[in-house]
Amino acid sequence: MSGTHKNTLLQVSGLSIGFSQYMKGTQKRIVRPISGLHVDIGEGEIVAVVGASGSGKSLLAHAVLGILPGNAICSGSIVYKGEELTQTRKEQLRGREIAFIPQSVNYLDPLMSVGRQVRIGLDRATAKAQQEKLFAQYGLKKSDGRLLPFELSGGMLRRVLFATSVREGVKLVIADEPTPGIHPQALSEILKQLKQFAENGAGVMLITHDIMSALEIADRVAVIKDGATVEISEVSAFTGKGEALKTEYTQRLWRTLPQNDFDLEFQEEGGRATWR
Ligand SMILES: Nc1ncnc2c1ncn2[C@@H]1O[C@H](COP(=O)(O)OP(=O)(O)OP(=O)(O)O)[C@@H](O)[C@H]1O
Ligand SMILES: [Mg+2]
């Protein structure tokens, strides 16, 4: 926890997630993609969660939200505002105090106009006006509100997803890859909005492959590898050749970024691919 943030909002420790799978016949086995993962987020703090594809970032988000699939076996502790976050509490808070910006646009209802989807959870009397304001804020046209998800581009849908999460009283925002396919202006709007959440006292978990954008707004960065936390460092450590970073793994990831001349040796080992 960084010195500037007093109260821990979310504390995930010793998180393990396994799935029971049926093999050929009736044999069952457990695969365990997450084991020993930890991360904490303070009030008003933005923590970026980065790691290779398949390292377990979305599973972490889904565990906190209580939306893991039925065959998932989850252990460890998730404490929110000092209390264990039970499944019941997760369901009560999701979409209210805990906002989720999912990785996939498939989370939208394919049969409901996007305007109506953004109005869910908004105060009835002002919902339409608020929705239109959100659309304008994210560069969507008023008339787009009447369209169904399949009638919008991927980038537009991502902005719709973001708009569905902006609600009053949000204390924790979990954004899973909120920026791919977003044009630069909307990208800066989304980063600004995430920062705004934090300035209003909410904690933000920003899952992303876009480390450079994350560094613009995050306070700390958690690096996940193969379902475990490798390192959590202050954003200020991501500078120069990464000398201030704690692990060699993170230092090498840092050096693979184009801004840092790439680490050619690491790239040859396939290291660069770990950011994408
Ligand atoms: N329902 C499931 N059953 C079995 N394994 C799963 C299930 N969901 C995810 N996994 C496995 O868990 C691992 C982590 O998946 P996860 O979706 O969290 O990765 P990620 O870090 O979000 O990747 P990406 O950056 O590509 O979104 C992967 O190896 C994935 O195959
Ligand atoms: Mg993911």
Side-chain angles (χ1 to χ4, degrees):
M1 168 119 273
S2 71
T4 49
H5 300 96
K6 310 130 286 206
N7 299 319
T8 302
L9 183 69
L10 180 78
Q11 176 107 44
V12 176
S13 21
L15 182 70
S16 277
I17 301 172
F19 295 93
S20 60
Q21 289 180 338
Y22 282 97
M23 317 257 293
K24 264 193 196 137
T26 54
Q27 265 188 326
K28 226 167 133 180
R29 63 161 190 173
I30 305 276
V31 289
R32 189 168 296 286
I34 290 208
S35 153
L37 197 152
H38 64 93
V39 69
D40 63 281
I41 301 176
E43 285 175 0
E45 187 185 31
I46 302 179
V47 176
V49 174
V50 302
S53 184
S55 59
K57 305 177 298 294
S58 291
L59 287 181
L60 163 67
H62 296 178
V64 174
L65 292 152
I67 55 169
L68 288 170
N71 65 331
I73 304 150
C74 191
S75 64
S77 125
I78 302 177
V79 174
Y80 173 72
K81 285 186 174 169
E83 261 180 70
E84 190 67 33
L85 199 49
T86 60
Q87 184 63 25
T88 313
R89 232 175 126 226
K90 286 174 189 175
E91 284 164 19
Q92 283 164 354
L93 298 174
R94 195 170 67 231
R96 297 180 179 88
E97 256 186 69
I98 303 183
F100 179 40
I101 303 161
Q103 180 168 14
S104 165
V105 294
N106 296 333
Y107 280 77
L108 289 167
D109 182 338
L111 302 176
M112 194 192 285
S113 76
V114 291
R116 204 168 138 208
Q117 298 195 57
V118 170
R119 294 198 289 278
I120 293 173
L122 292 174
D123 183 44
R124 275 251 177 120
T126 56
K128 186 95 171 95
Q130 281 191 68
Q131 174 244 307
E132 283 172 2
K133 198 171 144 211
L134 285 167
F135 267 44
Q137 201 174 329
Y138 292 112
L140 294 161
K141 291 201 299 283
K142 202 169 157 178
S143 56
D144 293 335
R146 287 194 296 272
L147 302 178
L148 291 171
F150 82 91
E151 296 175 289
L152 273 71
S153 73
M156 289 162 93
L157 288 175
R158 298 224 51 95
R159 287 179 266 150
V160 168
L161 275 181
F162 205 94
T164 62
S165 73
V166 183
R167 297 289 176 273
E168 259 181 49
V170 168
K171 299 274 183 339
L172 175 65
V173 180
I174 298 183
D176 194 354
E177 290 285 353
T179 54
I182 295 264
H183 64 76
Q185 196 192 330
L187 169 66
S188 87
E189 184 55 52
I190 279 178
L191 295 176
K192 216 166 79 192
Q193 182 70 54
L194 288 171
K195 209 169 161 60
Q196 188 70 53
F197 276 125
E199 278 162 8
N200 292 338
V204 178
M205 181 192 289
L206 170 58
I207 294 171
T208 187
H209 285 127
D210 184 358
I211 179 83
M212 293 318 287
S213 293
L215 291 176
E216 280 178 35
I217 60 162
D219 298 288
R220 287 182 301 149
V221 178
V223 182
I224 313 290
K225 178 178 182 274
D226 300 334
T229 307
V230 173
E231 160 159 6
I232 303 182
S233 279
E234 298 284 333
V235 156
S236 57
F238 289 79
T239 184
K241 292 220 169 297
E243 298 88 342
L245 293 166
K246 295 168 194 153
T247 59
E248 201 190 329
Y249 180 76
T250 309
Q251 288 179 352
R252 299 193 87 175
L253 283 180
W254 174 239
R255 291 193 213 119
T256 62
L257 292 174
Q259 293 83 343
N260 302 331
D261 303 334
F262 303 106
D263 177 337
L264 291 173
E265 189 194 345
F266 193 47
Q267 268 192 76
E268 282 159 19
E269 291 167 15
R272 180 159 161 45
T274 59
W275 283 111
R276 296 283 151 203

